[in-house]
């Protein structure tokens, strides 16, 4: 899938790199269904330069209960996106913003939809992410 966003980067390829949904027992499933509100969504973004000067960005979503509760389920998706960045862009700050913000605004809705549907199909029909992710704010807080 190729997309052009303001001529700064182009998406070459997207795929699910890794997926994990762990529900150890029926008791856990029933407990987690009733307590999904205590689960937190964490987002981790990493990148790696490839041979052809393109980048592989891995966006990881982890939905988990961080308490000491023994009835826990675990949900994680790692979504890889291969992009090329316009050759005229060499400023590392601009490249960081593309990777951590601009690209994420394009791909995140798709990742969230895939992740939510998989979790629903795993037995958690009431799952939904009500909090909108603000990648601009996350980027600004991290780098300013």
């Amino acid at each position: 899938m190729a997309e052009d966003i303001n001529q700064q980067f182009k998406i070459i390829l997207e795929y699910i790199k890794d997926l994990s949904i762990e529900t150890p027992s029926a008791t856990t499933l029933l407990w987690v269904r009733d307590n999904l509100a205590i689960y937190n969504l964490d987002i981790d973004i990493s990148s790696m330069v490839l041979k052809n000067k393109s980048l592989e960005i891995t966006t990881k979503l982890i939905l988990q209960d961080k308490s000491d509760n023994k009835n826990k389920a675990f949900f994680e998706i790692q979504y890889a996106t291969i992009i090329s960045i316009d050759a005229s862009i060499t400023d590392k700050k601009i490249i960081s913003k593309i990777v951590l913000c601009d690209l994420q605004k394009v791909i995140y809705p798709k990742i969230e939809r895939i992740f939510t549907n998989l979790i629903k199909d795993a037995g958690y029909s009431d799952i939904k992410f009500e909090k909108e992710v603000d990648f601009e704010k996350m980027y600004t807080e991290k780098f300013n």
Side-chain angles (χ1 to χ4, degrees):
M1 173 183 191
E3 287 187 39
D4 231 344
I5 308 300
N6 298 329
Q7 306 297 327
Q8 290 189 318
F9 69 93
K10 183 171 151 183
I11 296 175
I12 299 167
L13 185 64
E14 301 176 58
Y15 63 98
I16 296 173
K17 191 173 189 176
D18 191 28
L19 175 65
S20 179
I21 296 177
E22 300 170 19
T23 305
S25 67
T27 303
T28 299
L29 173 76
L30 295 172
W31 191 91
V32 172
R33 277 182 173 175
D34 291 337
N35 294 280
L36 275 171
I38 66 172
Y39 276 65
N40 296 307
L41 179 67
D42 293 322
I43 300 172
D44 181 50
I45 301 165
S46 61
S47 63
M48 176 175 63
V49 178
L50 302 176
K51 291 179 186 176
N52 58 359
K53 296 186 181 179
S54 56
L55 295 172
E56 177 181 282
I57 293 86
T58 301
T59 305
K60 183 185 337 181
L61 306 184
I62 303 170
L63 184 65
Q64 62 184 333
D65 174 359
K66 294 183 180 180
S67 73
D68 292 333
N69 178 21
K70 66 179 180 172
N71 286 318
K72 289 185 184 182
F74 179 79
F75 312 94
E76 178 182 307
I77 187 170
Q78 292 184 34
Y79 193 83
T81 310
I82 311 297
I83 66 169
S84 62
I85 295 178
D86 185 287
S88 68
I89 300 172
T90 57
D91 185 319
K92 290 190 187 278
K93 276 189 156 187
I94 295 172
I95 294 171
S96 290
K97 186 171 185 300
I98 289 169
V99 168
L100 299 171
C101 184
D102 301 337
L103 172 66
Q104 299 306 317
K105 287 193 265 181
V106 173
I107 64 170
Y108 182 79
K110 181 178 183 178
I111 299 170
E112 184 181 276
R113 179 182 43 79
I114 292 167
F115 196 40
T116 302
N117 286 339
L118 288 166
I119 294 170
K120 284 180 180 179
D121 289 345
Y124 302 90
S125 58
D126 291 337
I127 186 75
K128 58 184 167 248
F129 302 130
E130 295 179 4
K131 191 175 177 183
E132 190 169 319
V133 179
D134 185 344
F135 289 102
E136 288 280 347
K137 182 179 177 189
M138 285 173 59
Y139 176 79
T140 303
E141 288 174 355
K142 185 170 184 165
F143 291 102
N144 290 330

